[in-house]
Amino acid sequence: GELVSGFVMGGLIPLGIAGCADGKLHWQILLYSLPLIVGIALIMMSNNGSDIEKDMKAGRRTLPTCIGRKKTVRLYRYFIISWVTLAAVMPLTLLGFTGFISTIFVVIFGRKVIKKQLSCRLEPQGRIATMQGIVLMNIVLNGAYVASFAAGFVQEVFHG
């Protein structure tokens, strides 16, 4: 469910919005949406990872119930590091120097919340703090990512 939710909400919704805007299908939107996809998938993983025991008791089969807490936490941290890398590096690759805005924002505004989220153990007693942290990370990282593309758009409008 984590990857499906991330793909649908973080990838297909932007793809659909872009298609509605000009009536064309822009498949590259899925590439541009990778940080959004990972961020949304991590919201689901934060929730499911913190609810492993409750979900097992209820008979729910989520990724965390199948692989256990230890592997879920390891995978969670891997995805956070991947997400931070995508949000900081993709704008540089796609926009050049203008993309550096995202890297600066991630470093300045994201370092504390990233560090805190990397230390999450996805246990039931920390569920609320984990969810608050991952939502804040989505605002900071994906906000920085979108801000760099907005800056690129503004630059293109004014400088051709």
Side-chain angles (χ1 to χ4, degrees), residues 38 42 72-83 118:
V38 175
L42 279 166
T72 299
V73 169
R74 195 175 311 138
L75 186 62
Y76 186 76
R77 290 176 180 157
Y78 169 78
F79 275 117
I80 287 174
I81 292 166
S82 299
W83 182 25
L118 282 169

Side-chain angles (χ1 to χ4, degrees), residues 10-90:
L12 293 182
I13 290 174
L15 180 65
I17 291 169
C20 289
D22 69 357
K24 298 176 186 172
L25 202 51
H26 303 277
W27 290 107
Q28 71 271 23
I29 296 291
L30 294 176
L31 170 68
Y32 297 146
S33 297
L34 282 175
L36 307 175
I37 292 168
V38 175
I40 291 168
L42 279 166
I43 291 172
M44 293 296 294
M45 188 176 265
S46 297
N47 184 49
N48 290 339
S50 297
D51 288 343
I52 290 174
E53 293 79 12
K54 187 170 77 171
D55 287 346
M56 288 176 87
K57 190 174 181 180
R60 292 186 193 102
R61 292 189 44 87
T62 64
L63 177 63
T65 62
C66 293
I67 66 173
R69 177 162 282 109
K70 186 175 179 180
K71 288 181 182 175
T72 299
V73 169
R74 195 175 311 138
L75 186 62
Y76 186 76
R77 290 176 180 157
Y78 169 78
F79 275 117
I80 287 174
I81 292 166
S82 299
W83 182 25
V84 170
T85 304
L86 286 170
V89 174
M90 276 185 69

Side-chain angles (χ1 to χ4, degrees), residues 79-152:
F79 275 117
I80 287 174
I81 292 166
S82 299
W83 182 25
V84 170
T85 304
L86 286 170
V89 174
M90 276 185 69
L92 287 170
T93 305
L94 297 169
L95 300 169
F97 186 73
T98 303
F100 196 57
I101 290 170
S102 183
T103 306
I104 292 168
F105 279 21
V106 167
V107 170
I108 293 172
F109 300 113
R111 69 179 184 271
K112 286 183 183 177
V113 70
I114 293 165
K115 184 178 178 182
K116 183 178 178 193
Q117 212 61 26
L118 282 169
S119 69
C120 286
R121 296 167 34 134
L122 300 177
E123 293 176 336
Q125 61 273 22
R127 183 179 186 282
I128 292 173
T130 299
M131 292 302 293
Q132 289 172 337
I134 203 65
V135 168
L136 183 58
M137 272 190 71
N138 266 275
I139 292 167
V140 172
L141 266 63
N142 290 338
Y145 184 71
V146 170
S148 61
F149 281 94

